[in-house]
Amino acid sequence: RVVQITKNILSLYRESKQVTPIRLSEVVESVSMLLQRRIRDEQITFSTSLRTEAQISAFPAEMRQVVSNLMGNAIDAAGAGGKIEVIVEESQLKDGRPAVALTVKDNGPGIAKEDLPKLFRPFYTTKGEQGTGLGLWITQGIVSKHGGYIEVTSSDSADDHATSFQILFPKIGSEIRS
């Protein structure tokens, strides 16, 4: 396990500096392993549903950063004894092209409606001293650079609270042709 974690950490720094075909399912598995201790220490019920091996064109380290930011935020939000579900599946972009979707859901307290429009602003955080306010801003920049977009749904009501971040990327072979 230590060897695998070390390989995962080193791969963040030792890799190509160009876009390559990657599977989001493999990125989720890699990041999950790195975050496994936090998940276990918080006694979070964590599940993945990796429904596709479809590929996207991306910088691998940047995709790990995106997945790590979203999963780290979900761990923070879910808190001790919470639940997190991560799904990778095929979907469609708004223009109808095939996509690969990454969804990270948590059953934390939810995000207040007035905070939703501010989530992707630099230095905006709902975590107080715990957060820098840069994670989602960086995530959005990376996602946009790769031709994708982020959708957020959240409820902060007492009886139904949860948050879901879904990121959609163009599937390899679905690029716009001119």
Short mmCIF file of all heavy atoms in Angstrom, two decimals, residues 23-76:
data_model
loop_
_atom_site.label_atom_id
_atom_site.label_comp_id
_atom_site.label_asym_id
_atom_site.label_seq_id
_atom_site.Cartn_x
_atom_site.Cartn_y
_atom_site.Cartn_z
N ARG A 23 -8.31 8.03 -18.54
CA ARG A 23 -9.60 7.54 -18.04
C ARG A 23 -9.86 8.18 -16.68
O ARG A 23 -9.05 8.02 -15.76
CB ARG A 23 -9.57 6.02 -17.90
CG ARG A 23 -9.54 5.30 -19.21
CD ARG A 23 -9.53 3.77 -19.01
NE ARG A 23 -9.63 3.10 -20.28
CZ ARG A 23 -8.60 2.85 -21.08
NH1 ARG A 23 -7.38 3.22 -20.72
NH2 ARG A 23 -8.77 2.22 -22.23
N LEU A 24 -10.97 8.89 -16.55
CA LEU A 24 -11.31 9.50 -15.26
C LEU A 24 -11.48 8.44 -14.18
O LEU A 24 -11.19 8.68 -13.01
CB LEU A 24 -12.57 10.35 -15.37
CG LEU A 24 -12.38 11.74 -15.99
CD1 LEU A 24 -13.72 12.45 -16.11
CD2 LEU A 24 -11.41 12.57 -15.18
N SER A 25 -11.92 7.24 -14.59
CA SER A 25 -12.09 6.16 -13.61
C SER A 25 -10.75 5.83 -12.94
O SER A 25 -10.69 5.60 -11.73
CB SER A 25 -12.69 4.92 -14.27
OG SER A 25 -11.89 4.50 -15.35
N GLU A 26 -9.65 5.85 -13.71
CA GLU A 26 -8.34 5.57 -13.14
C GLU A 26 -7.88 6.70 -12.24
O GLU A 26 -7.24 6.46 -11.20
CB GLU A 26 -7.32 5.32 -14.26
CG GLU A 26 -7.57 4.03 -15.00
CD GLU A 26 -6.64 3.83 -16.20
OE1 GLU A 26 -5.80 4.71 -16.48
OE2 GLU A 26 -6.78 2.77 -16.86
N VAL A 27 -8.20 7.93 -12.61
CA VAL A 27 -7.84 9.09 -11.78
C VAL A 27 -8.58 9.00 -10.44
O VAL A 27 -7.99 9.21 -9.38
CB VAL A 27 -8.16 10.42 -12.50
CG1 VAL A 27 -7.88 11.60 -11.59
CG2 VAL A 27 -7.36 10.53 -13.79
N VAL A 28 -9.86 8.65 -10.48
CA VAL A 28 -10.65 8.50 -9.25
C VAL A 28 -10.05 7.42 -8.35
O VAL A 28 -9.90 7.62 -7.14
CB VAL A 28 -12.14 8.21 -9.57
CG1 VAL A 28 -12.89 7.73 -8.33
CG2 VAL A 28 -12.81 9.43 -10.17
N GLU A 29 -9.67 6.30 -8.93
CA GLU A 29 -9.06 5.22 -8.13
C GLU A 29 -7.77 5.69 -7.48
O GLU A 29 -7.52 5.42 -6.31
CB GLU A 29 -8.82 3.98 -9.00
CG GLU A 29 -10.11 3.26 -9.35
CD GLU A 29 -9.88 2.08 -10.29
OE1 GLU A 29 -8.92 2.10 -11.08
OE2 GLU A 29 -10.70 1.14 -10.22
N SER A 30 -6.94 6.39 -8.24
CA SER A 30 -5.66 6.88 -7.74
C SER A 30 -5.85 7.87 -6.60
O SER A 30 -5.22 7.75 -5.54
CB SER A 30 -4.89 7.53 -8.90
OG SER A 30 -3.76 8.21 -8.46
N VAL A 31 -6.71 8.85 -6.80
CA VAL A 31 -6.94 9.87 -5.76
C VAL A 31 -7.62 9.25 -4.54
O VAL A 31 -7.30 9.60 -3.40
CB VAL A 31 -7.76 11.04 -6.34
CG1 VAL A 31 -8.18 12.01 -5.23
CG2 VAL A 31 -6.95 11.78 -7.41
N SER A 32 -8.53 8.31 -4.77
CA SER A 32 -9.20 7.64 -3.65
C SER A 32 -8.19 6.96 -2.74
O SER A 32 -8.32 7.00 -1.52
CB SER A 32 -10.20 6.60 -4.16
OG SER A 32 -11.22 7.20 -4.89
N MET A 33 -7.19 6.35 -3.35
CA MET A 33 -6.17 5.68 -2.55
C MET A 33 -5.40 6.69 -1.70
O MET A 33 -5.12 6.45 -0.53
CB MET A 33 -5.21 4.90 -3.45
CG MET A 33 -4.17 4.15 -2.66
SD MET A 33 -3.25 3.00 -3.65
CE MET A 33 -4.47 1.70 -3.78
N LEU A 34 -5.09 7.85 -2.30
CA LEU A 34 -4.36 8.87 -1.56
C LEU A 34 -5.19 9.45 -0.40
O LEU A 34 -4.64 9.83 0.63
CB LEU A 34 -3.93 10.01 -2.48
CG LEU A 34 -2.83 9.68 -3.49
CD1 LEU A 34 -2.63 10.84 -4.45
CD2 LEU A 34 -1.53 9.33 -2.79
N LEU A 35 -6.50 9.51 -0.56
CA LEU A 35 -7.37 10.09 0.45
C LEU A 35 -7.96 9.05 1.40
O LEU A 35 -8.72 9.39 2.32
CB LEU A 35 -8.51 10.87 -0.22
CG LEU A 35 -8.07 12.10 -1.03
CD1 LEU A 35 -9.26 12.71 -1.74
CD2 LEU A 35 -7.37 13.12 -0.14
N GLN A 36 -7.59 7.79 1.21
CA GLN A 36 -8.18 6.70 1.96
C GLN A 36 -8.05 6.88 3.48
O GLN A 36 -8.98 6.61 4.23
CB GLN A 36 -7.52 5.39 1.53
CG GLN A 36 -8.23 4.15 1.99
CD GLN A 36 -7.62 2.92 1.35
OE1 GLN A 36 -6.40 2.80 1.26
NE2 GLN A 36 -8.47 2.02 0.90
N ARG A 37 -6.94 7.37 3.94
CA ARG A 37 -6.75 7.52 5.39
C ARG A 37 -7.70 8.56 5.96
O ARG A 37 -8.30 8.35 7.01
CB ARG A 37 -5.30 7.88 5.70
CG ARG A 37 -5.08 7.98 7.18
CD ARG A 37 -3.65 8.30 7.54
NE ARG A 37 -3.56 8.31 8.99
CZ ARG A 37 -2.63 7.70 9.66
NH1 ARG A 37 -1.71 7.01 9.03
NH2 ARG A 37 -2.60 7.77 10.97
N ARG A 38 -7.84 9.71 5.25
CA ARG A 38 -8.78 10.75 5.72
C ARG A 38 -10.20 10.20 5.77
O ARG A 38 -10.94 10.47 6.71
CB ARG A 38 -8.75 11.96 4.79
CG ARG A 38 -7.68 12.96 5.08
CD ARG A 38 -7.80 14.20 4.22
NE ARG A 38 -8.95 15.01 4.60
CZ ARG A 38 -9.48 15.94 3.83
NH1 ARG A 38 -8.98 16.19 2.64
NH2 ARG A 38 -10.52 16.63 4.24
N ILE A 39 -10.56 9.44 4.74
CA ILE A 39 -11.90 8.86 4.67
C ILE A 39 -12.12 7.91 5.85
O ILE A 39 -13.14 7.95 6.52
CB ILE A 39 -12.11 8.16 3.31
CG1 ILE A 39 -12.14 9.19 2.19
CG2 ILE A 39 -13.36 7.31 3.32
CD1 ILE A 39 -11.99 8.61 0.78
N ARG A 40 -11.13 7.07 6.09
CA ARG A 40 -11.23 6.10 7.19
C ARG A 40 -11.25 6.81 8.55
O ARG A 40 -12.07 6.50 9.41
CB ARG A 40 -10.07 5.11 7.13
CG ARG A 40 -10.21 3.97 8.12
CD ARG A 40 -9.03 3.00 8.10
NE ARG A 40 -7.81 3.68 8.52
CZ ARG A 40 -6.73 3.83 7.75
NH1 ARG A 40 -6.70 3.35 6.54
NH2 ARG A 40 -5.66 4.45 8.20
N ASP A 41 -10.36 7.79 8.74
CA ASP A 41 -10.30 8.51 10.02
C ASP A 41 -11.61 9.23 10.34
O ASP A 41 -11.99 9.34 11.50
CB ASP A 41 -9.14 9.52 10.03
CG ASP A 41 -7.78 8.84 10.11
OD1 ASP A 41 -7.72 7.60 10.30
OD2 ASP A 41 -6.76 9.54 9.93
N GLU A 42 -12.28 9.73 9.31
CA GLU A 42 -13.56 10.43 9.50
C GLU A 42 -14.74 9.46 9.53
O GLU A 42 -15.88 9.89 9.66
CB GLU A 42 -13.78 11.47 8.39
CG GLU A 42 -12.83 12.64 8.44
CD GLU A 42 -13.13 13.61 9.57
OE1 GLU A 42 -14.31 13.72 9.97
OE2 GLU A 42 -12.18 14.24 10.05
N GLN A 43 -14.45 8.16 9.34
CA GLN A 43 -15.50 7.12 9.30
C GLN A 43 -16.59 7.47 8.28
O GLN A 43 -17.79 7.36 8.55
CB GLN A 43 -16.08 6.89 10.69
CG GLN A 43 -15.03 6.37 11.65
CD GLN A 43 -15.57 6.13 13.05
OE1 GLN A 43 -16.52 6.79 13.48
NE2 GLN A 43 -14.97 5.18 13.73
N ILE A 44 -16.13 7.90 7.12
CA ILE A 44 -17.04 8.27 6.03
C ILE A 44 -17.37 7.02 5.22
O ILE A 44 -16.49 6.21 4.91
CB ILE A 44 -16.39 9.35 5.14
CG1 ILE A 44 -16.30 10.67 5.92
CG2 ILE A 44 -17.15 9.54 3.84
CD1 ILE A 44 -15.50 11.75 5.24
N THR A 45 -18.63 6.87 4.88
CA THR A 45 -19.04 5.81 3.96
C THR A 45 -18.73 6.32 2.56
O THR A 45 -19.32 7.31 2.11
CB THR A 45 -20.55 5.52 4.10
OG1 THR A 45 -20.82 5.15 5.46
CG2 THR A 45 -20.97 4.41 3.16
N PHE A 46 -17.80 5.67 1.91
CA PHE A 46 -17.31 6.14 0.61
C PHE A 46 -17.57 5.07 -0.44
O PHE A 46 -17.24 3.91 -0.24
CB PHE A 46 -15.80 6.42 0.71
CG PHE A 46 -15.18 6.89 -0.57
CD1 PHE A 46 -15.30 8.21 -0.96
CD2 PHE A 46 -14.49 6.01 -1.39
CE1 PHE A 46 -14.74 8.65 -2.15
CE2 PHE A 46 -13.93 6.44 -2.57
CZ PHE A 46 -14.04 7.76 -2.95
N SER A 47 -18.18 5.48 -1.56
CA SER A 47 -18.41 4.51 -2.63
C SER A 47 -18.08 5.14 -3.98
O SER A 47 -18.21 6.36 -4.16
CB SER A 47 -19.86 4.02 -2.62
OG SER A 47 -20.75 5.09 -2.92
N THR A 48 -17.66 4.28 -4.89
CA THR A 48 -17.42 4.72 -6.27
C THR A 48 -18.24 3.84 -7.19
O THR A 48 -18.48 2.66 -6.91
CB THR A 48 -15.93 4.61 -6.67
OG1 THR A 48 -15.50 3.26 -6.51
CG2 THR A 48 -15.05 5.53 -5.84
N SER A 49 -18.67 4.45 -8.27
CA SER A 49 -19.36 3.73 -9.33
C SER A 49 -18.70 4.16 -10.63
O SER A 49 -19.00 5.22 -11.17
CB SER A 49 -20.86 4.09 -9.31
OG SER A 49 -21.53 3.37 -10.32
N LEU A 50 -17.77 3.34 -11.09
CA LEU A 50 -16.98 3.66 -12.29
C LEU A 50 -17.60 2.92 -13.46
O LEU A 50 -17.27 1.77 -13.74
CB LEU A 50 -15.52 3.27 -12.05
CG LEU A 50 -14.93 3.86 -10.75
CD1 LEU A 50 -13.51 3.35 -10.53
CD2 LEU A 50 -14.98 5.37 -10.75
N ARG A 51 -18.53 3.61 -14.14
CA ARG A 51 -19.39 2.98 -15.14
C ARG A 51 -18.85 3.04 -16.56
O ARG A 51 -19.51 2.54 -17.48
CB ARG A 51 -20.77 3.64 -15.10
CG ARG A 51 -21.43 3.56 -13.74
CD ARG A 51 -22.71 4.35 -13.69
NE ARG A 51 -23.26 4.35 -12.34
CZ ARG A 51 -24.19 5.16 -11.93
NH1 ARG A 51 -24.72 6.05 -12.75
NH2 ARG A 51 -24.61 5.10 -10.69
N THR A 52 -17.71 3.70 -16.77
CA THR A 52 -17.16 3.78 -18.13
C THR A 52 -15.65 3.82 -18.09
O THR A 52 -15.06 4.31 -17.12
CB THR A 52 -17.70 5.01 -18.89
OG1 THR A 52 -17.20 4.98 -20.23
CG2 THR A 52 -17.27 6.31 -18.24
N GLU A 53 -15.07 3.31 -19.13
CA GLU A 53 -13.63 3.40 -19.34
C GLU A 53 -13.33 4.38 -20.47
O GLU A 53 -12.21 4.46 -20.96
CB GLU A 53 -13.05 2.01 -19.67
CG GLU A 53 -13.11 1.03 -18.51
CD GLU A 53 -12.24 1.46 -17.33
OE1 GLU A 53 -11.08 1.88 -17.55
OE2 GLU A 53 -12.73 1.40 -16.19
N ALA A 54 -14.34 5.14 -20.90
CA ALA A 54 -14.16 6.13 -21.96
C ALA A 54 -13.08 7.12 -21.56
O ALA A 54 -12.88 7.40 -20.37
CB ALA A 54 -15.47 6.86 -22.25
N GLN A 55 -12.39 7.65 -22.55
CA GLN A 55 -11.26 8.53 -22.29
C GLN A 55 -11.57 9.98 -22.65
O GLN A 55 -12.42 10.26 -23.49
CB GLN A 55 -10.04 8.07 -23.08
CG GLN A 55 -9.52 6.70 -22.66
CD GLN A 55 -8.31 6.28 -23.45
OE1 GLN A 55 -8.25 6.47 -24.66
NE2 GLN A 55 -7.33 5.71 -22.78
N ILE A 56 -10.81 10.88 -21.99
CA ILE A 56 -10.82 12.29 -22.33
C ILE A 56 -9.38 12.69 -22.64
O ILE A 56 -8.45 11.98 -22.25
CB ILE A 56 -11.39 13.16 -21.19
CG1 ILE A 56 -10.51 13.07 -19.94
CG2 ILE A 56 -12.83 12.75 -20.89
CD1 ILE A 56 -10.87 14.07 -18.85
N SER A 57 -9.20 13.82 -23.31
CA SER A 57 -7.86 14.36 -23.55
C SER A 57 -7.57 15.37 -22.46
O SER A 57 -8.31 16.34 -22.30
CB SER A 57 -7.80 15.06 -24.91
OG SER A 57 -7.91 14.13 -25.95
N ALA A 58 -6.49 15.12 -21.70
CA ALA A 58 -6.24 16.00 -20.56
C ALA A 58 -4.79 15.88 -20.09
O ALA A 58 -4.07 14.96 -20.48
CB ALA A 58 -7.17 15.63 -19.41
N PHE A 59 -4.40 16.84 -19.26
CA PHE A 59 -3.14 16.76 -18.55
C PHE A 59 -3.42 15.93 -17.30
O PHE A 59 -4.22 16.34 -16.45
CB PHE A 59 -2.65 18.16 -18.15
CG PHE A 59 -2.21 19.02 -19.30
CD1 PHE A 59 -3.09 19.92 -19.87
CD2 PHE A 59 -0.93 18.92 -19.80
CE1 PHE A 59 -2.70 20.72 -20.92
CE2 PHE A 59 -0.52 19.71 -20.86
CZ PHE A 59 -1.41 20.61 -21.44
N PRO A 60 -2.79 14.77 -17.16
CA PRO A 60 -3.09 13.89 -16.03
C PRO A 60 -2.97 14.54 -14.65
O PRO A 60 -3.85 14.35 -13.80
CB PRO A 60 -2.10 12.74 -16.20
CG PRO A 60 -1.81 12.71 -17.68
CD PRO A 60 -1.84 14.16 -18.09
N ALA A 61 -1.92 15.30 -14.43
CA ALA A 61 -1.74 15.93 -13.11
C ALA A 61 -2.87 16.91 -12.81
O ALA A 61 -3.33 17.01 -11.68
CB ALA A 61 -0.39 16.64 -13.02
N GLU A 62 -3.32 17.62 -13.83
CA GLU A 62 -4.41 18.57 -13.62
C GLU A 62 -5.72 17.84 -13.33
O GLU A 62 -6.51 18.31 -12.51
CB GLU A 62 -4.54 19.50 -14.82
CG GLU A 62 -3.37 20.45 -14.94
CD GLU A 62 -3.48 21.45 -16.08
OE1 GLU A 62 -4.43 21.38 -16.88
OE2 GLU A 62 -2.59 22.29 -16.16
N MET A 63 -5.94 16.70 -13.96
CA MET A 63 -7.16 15.94 -13.66
C MET A 63 -7.10 15.39 -12.23
O MET A 63 -8.10 15.38 -11.52
CB MET A 63 -7.36 14.80 -14.65
CG MET A 63 -7.86 15.23 -16.00
SD MET A 63 -9.41 16.17 -15.91
CE MET A 63 -8.80 17.80 -16.29
N ARG A 64 -5.92 14.98 -11.79
CA ARG A 64 -5.79 14.53 -10.40
C ARG A 64 -6.07 15.69 -9.44
O ARG A 64 -6.69 15.50 -8.40
CB ARG A 64 -4.41 13.92 -10.15
CG ARG A 64 -4.34 12.47 -10.61
CD ARG A 64 -3.10 11.77 -10.09
NE ARG A 64 -1.87 12.33 -10.63
CZ ARG A 64 -1.38 12.06 -11.83
NH1 ARG A 64 -2.02 11.24 -12.64
NH2 ARG A 64 -0.27 12.60 -12.24
N GLN A 65 -5.63 16.88 -9.82
CA GLN A 65 -5.89 18.06 -8.99
C GLN A 65 -7.40 18.32 -8.89
O GLN A 65 -7.92 18.58 -7.81
CB GLN A 65 -5.19 19.28 -9.58
CG GLN A 65 -5.38 20.55 -8.77
CD GLN A 65 -4.63 20.50 -7.46
OE1 GLN A 65 -3.44 20.27 -7.44
NE2 GLN A 65 -5.33 20.74 -6.37
N VAL A 66 -8.11 18.24 -10.01
CA VAL A 66 -9.56 18.46 -10.03
C VAL A 66 -10.26 17.44 -9.13
O VAL A 66 -11.06 17.80 -8.27
CB VAL A 66 -10.10 18.37 -11.48
CG1 VAL A 66 -11.62 18.21 -11.51
CG2 VAL A 66 -9.68 19.61 -12.27
N VAL A 67 -9.95 16.16 -9.33
CA VAL A 67 -10.60 15.10 -8.56
C VAL A 67 -10.24 15.24 -7.07
O VAL A 67 -11.11 15.11 -6.20
CB VAL A 67 -10.23 13.71 -9.10
CG1 VAL A 67 -10.77 12.60 -8.21
CG2 VAL A 67 -10.76 13.55 -10.54
N SER A 68 -8.99 15.54 -6.78
CA SER A 68 -8.55 15.71 -5.40
C SER A 68 -9.27 16.89 -4.74
O SER A 68 -9.70 16.78 -3.58
CB SER A 68 -7.03 15.92 -5.37
OG SER A 68 -6.59 16.12 -4.06
N ASN A 69 -9.41 18.00 -5.44
CA ASN A 69 -10.11 19.17 -4.88
C ASN A 69 -11.55 18.82 -4.55
O ASN A 69 -12.05 19.12 -3.46
CB ASN A 69 -10.08 20.36 -5.85
CG ASN A 69 -8.73 21.06 -5.89
OD1 ASN A 69 -7.86 20.81 -5.08
ND2 ASN A 69 -8.57 21.93 -6.86
N LEU A 70 -12.24 18.19 -5.51
CA LEU A 70 -13.66 17.87 -5.29
C LEU A 70 -13.84 16.83 -4.18
O LEU A 70 -14.72 16.97 -3.32
CB LEU A 70 -14.31 17.37 -6.58
CG LEU A 70 -14.46 18.41 -7.68
CD1 LEU A 70 -15.12 17.79 -8.90
CD2 LEU A 70 -15.24 19.62 -7.21
N MET A 71 -13.01 15.80 -4.18
CA MET A 71 -13.14 14.78 -3.14
C MET A 71 -12.73 15.32 -1.78
O MET A 71 -13.37 15.01 -0.77
CB MET A 71 -12.34 13.53 -3.52
CG MET A 71 -13.01 12.76 -4.65
SD MET A 71 -12.08 11.33 -5.26
CE MET A 71 -11.84 10.38 -3.80
N GLY A 72 -11.70 16.15 -1.73
CA GLY A 72 -11.29 16.76 -0.47
C GLY A 72 -12.39 17.65 0.10
O GLY A 72 -12.68 17.62 1.30
N ASN A 73 -13.03 18.43 -0.77
CA ASN A 73 -14.15 19.27 -0.33
C ASN A 73 -15.30 18.41 0.19
O ASN A 73 -15.94 18.76 1.19
CB ASN A 73 -14.65 20.16 -1.47
CG ASN A 73 -13.74 21.34 -1.74
OD1 ASN A 73 -12.81 21.62 -0.99
ND2 ASN A 73 -13.99 22.03 -2.84
N ALA A 74 -15.57 17.30 -0.50
CA ALA A 74 -16.66 16.41 -0.07
C ALA A 74 -16.35 15.81 1.29
O ALA A 74 -17.24 15.70 2.15
CB ALA A 74 -16.89 15.32 -1.11
N ILE A 75 -15.11 15.45 1.53
CA ILE A 75 -14.71 14.90 2.84
C ILE A 75 -14.93 15.96 3.92
O ILE A 75 -15.50 15.69 4.97
CB ILE A 75 -13.24 14.42 2.82
CG1 ILE A 75 -13.10 13.19 1.94
CG2 ILE A 75 -12.74 14.14 4.25
CD1 ILE A 75 -11.66 12.80 1.62
N ASP A 76 -14.49 17.20 3.64
CA ASP A 76 -14.69 18.29 4.60
C ASP A 76 -16.17 18.50 4.88
O ASP A 76 -16.57 18.70 6.03
CB ASP A 76 -14.08 19.59 4.08
CG ASP A 76 -12.56 19.56 4.00
OD1 ASP A 76 -11.94 18.68 4.63
OD2 ASP A 76 -12.00 20.40 3.27
#
